[in-house]
Amino acid sequence: MNKQNRRDFLKSVTTVGITAAGLSAAAPTKLNAAPENVLSEDRMGVLVDTTVCIGCRKCEWACKESHGMHAGDIEDYDEKGIFNSRRRPDHTGHTVVNEYENDKNRSLPIYLKVQCMHCDRPACVSACIVGAFSKKESGAVIWDDSKCIGCRYCMVACPFQIPAFDYHKALEPDIHKCDFCFDRTKNGKLPACVEICPVETLTYGKRSDLIQVARNKIKNYPDRYLDHIFGETEVGGTSWLYLASKEFEKLDFPKLGKNPAPGVSESIQHGIFAYFIPPIALYALLGGIMWISKNRDKSEGEAH
Amino acid sequence: MELAMKPEQMKKKFFTPWVIALTLIAINGLIFLAIRFFWGIGAVTNLSNEHPWGIWIGIDVAAGVALAAGGFTTAALGHIMHRDKYEAVIRPALLTAMLGYTFVAVSVAVDLGRYYSIWHPLIYWNGNSALFEVGMCVMIYVTVLYIEFLPIVTERFIGRVNLPGVLSRLNGTIDKILRALDRGLNKTMFIFIIAGVVLSCLHQSSLGTLMIIAGPKMHPLWQTPVLPLLFLLSAFSVGFPMVIMESITASKSFGLKPETHILSKLGSMVGPLLGIYLAFKLGDMFIRETFVYLTELTTESVMFSIEILLGVVIPLRMFLSNEVRKSPTGLYIASVLVIFGVLLNRINNFLVAYTPPYETASYFPSIGEISVTLGFVCMEILLYRFFVKHFPIISIPDKAGINKAKYSIKGA
Ligand code: SF4
Ligand code: SF4
Ligand code: SF4
């Protein structure tokens, strides 16, 4: 390395350093402009009392009807044969009702409505590469058609296996999941499923109030309910809450801890990228090694 | 003194029976790809709402990135630590990385439901997403790799621009542009070289972060908060074995003598790297006490054991042996085992370990998925062959014994 080159090298290293510093100053604000993820005190929720549900599946019909999906005739939903297999929400419907055996009274099966839980610390929001998911003030976790690239990482991330994908569409495949009737509630309407339910299985309200309601129910009817509100603490809490008479695991609820699903990965991400310091430090370190080993070779060469 | 090495274009003819077989497999893959683009991902894959990711992510992307680690590990060794004697392997490794990452990007696009929106991460940011970071790093790194490759292009064409017909009038101008480019690259190349290594460290580890958010869906044998570190360490240890394997294969294929002295020196670094990886892998297992799962006979426990024994322990032992490192065959087998181990590790992490809560059927790749994956591998090999024939990539002993300087590190 001659003098000229060495000066160039130093100049360039300094330039890189300054650029990097500039980047690091600008980047955090941008990076924090991650998707909207508000945890409002007043967020809404739904309390699902599975001991009340009669399995009429009207919520399935109403959900499709309100979301422009093929709903068909509401009478067809009385068909009980459908309960022979357990179904999952998919591109044909954002919610399904499944049947489970009732150990206490075999003639009265337990029915369980399934849809997105609208997590308070949603894995899908944290995971989505383009921030197509967002958690709204109302508590709803919704998906933005205009951003999604169809990578399906949200599906990998969701602890409840909720987002579904249009595997048979070559163009504009969508991610499908319950949107908590975002457009309806925005205009003061009830979620379609809540509105149609004939037996008040579903109670729509402020999440904090719903937890009180659920606690009172458990206190007043200890024989009827297990002392567990599913969703109160699971994966950091969910907007949809469940009461049941049978262990939640036997109702196919996944066994989940209290820690929010995105916790570990987010702290790792933020650790690696803390104001871009680790990458820049690595850059500087490698630059230093490169410079030193060059000079070492150079002086060895001269010594020969 | 050892004979100086000089990169040359390979002169053998392109088509051999092997090449024809590879071409057919590649075409078969393209046919299935066409079906995917006309009728959607579901038409050719076994993917479902339960198993949203298959081998196109687990092998083509995750393993693809890991196995392209030869690029940044040799760059770190040759350029940053300035170990001149490894220069002969830098260009082949750079070419593999460039092709490898190109195919990683293509595979991502193929797997994306909305492949035409692949650029969205450039404008819609989500700093919390490990996938976002992987995507950005890979995008920038591919660009860096292309820039690192440019000097080889300029070297190939400077003084040899020879366009036919009317275009021949442009020859002089193009030559001037190339020379200017070469000078510019010469001064700035180190910026890109260091950036390449930094970017690699970042996304190699973030690939490990990817599956952490899957939480309990992932088998505890693999699900650990140190996954990013394990991914990085395994990428470090698979870099040189990839270079060794390719170098020996290329020598065979082009009828050259394998550069055993360089390769065994490379090999001597693999042992320690593998050792560190193994230490962390086992340490993690003991700290989290996941060895209890190894006492049951399940797909997971079997796959984990194969991965560790065949993919890490045995090659580690081999690379520590002087005899093995001195023989091309020994080096070759040991390297292939390491590569197999890392490939299996990525498959395990992304596919075998993944069990969704409402699983009705386990995932196994469809004929279409396998065809596309194999097709891509074949295309990569064919392109490699094309490049080494048309560009000075592979070094052969320089009979004249002079001009060692011409390809000394750009930017130094
Ligand atoms: S249940 Fe799944 S899709 Fe719904 S908010 Fe939670 S992580 Fe997102
Ligand atoms: S599939 Fe769409 S919504 Fe889901 S993570 Fe990918 S870009 Fe985001
Ligand atoms: S809240 Fe709306 S979208 Fe969700 S299940 Fe009920 S009707 Fe369907």
Side-chain angles (χ1 to χ4, degrees), chain A residues 116-119 122-125 133 141 157-163 177:
Chain A
C116 168
M117 299 292 285
H118 298 277
C119 307
C124 56
V125 173
F133 278 105
V141 174
C158 171
F160 296 98
Q161 198 187 317
I162 287 298
K177 80 170 196 65

Side-chain angles (χ1 to χ4, degrees), chain A residues 127-128 145 147 149-153 155-156 158 161 165 167 172-174 252 269-270 273 283 293-294 297, chain B residues 42 48-49 52-53 80 82-83 111 113-114 116-117 120 124 126 128-129 133 190-191 210 217 356 358 412:
Chain A
C128 176
D145 178 42
K147 290 184 180 171
I149 61 173
C151 67
R152 308 187 298 287
Y153 189 36
M155 303 168 70
V156 172
C158 171
Q161 198 187 317
F165 180 73
Y167 281 101
E172 293 299 271
D174 286 338
D252 281 349
Q269 277 307 96
H270 295 168
F273 276 95
Y283 196 103
S293 37
K294 278 244 156 101
D297 277 19
Chain B
S48 63
N49 291 336
W53 282 356
I80 292 181
H82 211 244
R83 299 277 186 270
D111 190 76
R114 303 175 170 194
Y116 40 82
S117 302
H120 274 188
Y124 301 122
N126 180 8
N128 290 333
S129 168
E133 191 216 317
F190 72 94
I191 298 178
L210 270 192
K217 293 179 180 183
Y358 305 96

Side-chain angles (χ1 to χ4, degrees), chain A:
Chain A
M1 209 184 253
N2 59 31
K3 272 232 176 68
Q4 181 59 43
N5 269 343
R6 195 165 300 181
R7 206 175 303 135
D8 278 350
F9 188 93
L10 283 178
K11 211 164 64 192
S12 319
V13 167
T14 329
T15 324
V16 172
I18 293 171
T19 324
L23 256 180
S24 64
T29 44
K30 274 230 165 169
L31 267 189
N32 289 341
E36 187 182 340
N37 194 356
V38 275
L39 202 55
S40 152
E41 281 291 312
D42 299 325
R43 64 189 180 279
M44 304 301 276
V46 168
L47 176 63
V48 185
D49 188 338
T50 59
T51 66
V52 177
C53 181
I54 53 170
C56 69
R57 296 175 55 227
K58 291 204 164 44
C59 52
E60 289 186 24
W61 178 86
C63 178
K64 291 183 191 179
E65 191 66 19
S66 62
H67 286 78
M69 304 167 103
H70 175 74
D73 204 348
I74 194 164
E75 259 79 69
D76 297 344
Y77 286 73
D78 292 336
E79 213 316 268
K80 296 283 171 200
I82 197 141
F83 290 126
N84 289 336
S85 63
R86 303 252 159 85
R87 296 170 302 142
R88 296 288 305 161
D90 60 14
H91 60 287
T92 61
H94 296 166
T95 184
V96 293
V97 180
N98 284 323
E99 187 182 277
Y100 292 85
E101 202 165 277
N102 186 348
D103 310 320
K104 291 179 190 157
N105 184 349
R106 288 191 183 267
S107 60
L108 275 181
I110 299 170
Y111 294 101
L112 188 84
K113 177 186 184 297
V114 184
Q115 73 298 304
C116 168
M117 299 292 285
H118 298 277
C119 307
D120 286 343
R121 295 284 315 278
C124 56
V125 173
S126 168
C128 176
I129 178 168
V130 288
F133 278 105
S134 52
K135 171 96 175 161
K136 297 290 182 190
E137 183 120 30
S138 67
V141 174
I142 59 170
W143 169 82
D144 182 348
D145 178 42
S146 66
K147 290 184 180 171
C148 178
I149 61 173
C151 67
R152 308 187 298 287
Y153 189 36
C154 48
M155 303 168 70
V156 172
C158 171
F160 296 98
Q161 198 187 317
I162 287 298
F165 180 73
D166 278 324
Y167 281 101
H168 289 276
K169 270 174 88 178
L171 288 176
E172 293 299 271
D174 286 338
I175 289 291
H176 294 276
K177 80 170 196 65
C178 156
D179 61 359
F180 208 166
C181 284
F182 185 67
D183 290 331
R184 287 173 60 97
T185 54
K186 207 166 50 189
N187 299 319
K189 284 199 257 178
L190 281 174
C193 54
V194 175
E195 187 179 74
I196 203 168
C197 180
V199 290
E200 290 181 19
T201 303
L202 310 171
T203 316
Y204 177 75
K206 241 170 79 174
R207 184 179 184 271
S208 47
D209 295 344
L210 293 176
I211 290 177
Q212 272 319 312
V213 172
R215 288 218 178 106
N216 288 339
K217 283 194 178 192
I218 294 174
K219 202 167 89 200
N220 297 338
Y221 306 96
D223 296 338
R224 190 181 175 113
Y225 301 106
L226 279 179
D227 187 12
H228 182 179
I229 310 169
F230 190 99
E232 186 184 358
T233 58
E234 275 79 8
V235 283
T238 59
S239 283
W240 281 59
L241 305 160
Y242 282 78
L243 281 177
S245 58
K246 186 172 176 170
E247 290 76 25
F248 285 100
E249 273 153 65
K250 293 194 182 140
L251 299 174
D252 281 349
F253 278 84
K255 195 169 164 46
L256 298 165
K258 292 186 179 172
N259 292 332
V264 182
S265 64
E266 283 191 8
S267 33
I268 294 174
Q269 277 307 96
H270 295 168
I272 295 180
F273 276 95
Y275 297 94
F276 277 82
I277 290 169
I280 290 169
L282 181 60
Y283 196 103
L285 178 72
L286 292 175
I289 295 178
M290 194 170 181
W291 199 60
I292 291 170
S293 37
K294 278 244 156 101
N295 287 339
R296 178 206 57 204
D297 277 19
K298 174 73 185 160
S299 48
E300 268 173 17
E302 274 162 1
H304 278 198

Side-chain angles (χ1 to χ4, degrees), chain B residues 311-330:
Chain B
V312 187
V313 176
I314 296 179
L316 171 62
R317 178 69 196 80
M318 291 180 76
F319 271 116
L320 290 180
S321 137
N322 244 329
E323 253 99 275
V324 172
R325 285 205 313 271
K326 285 223 175 72
S327 93
T329 325

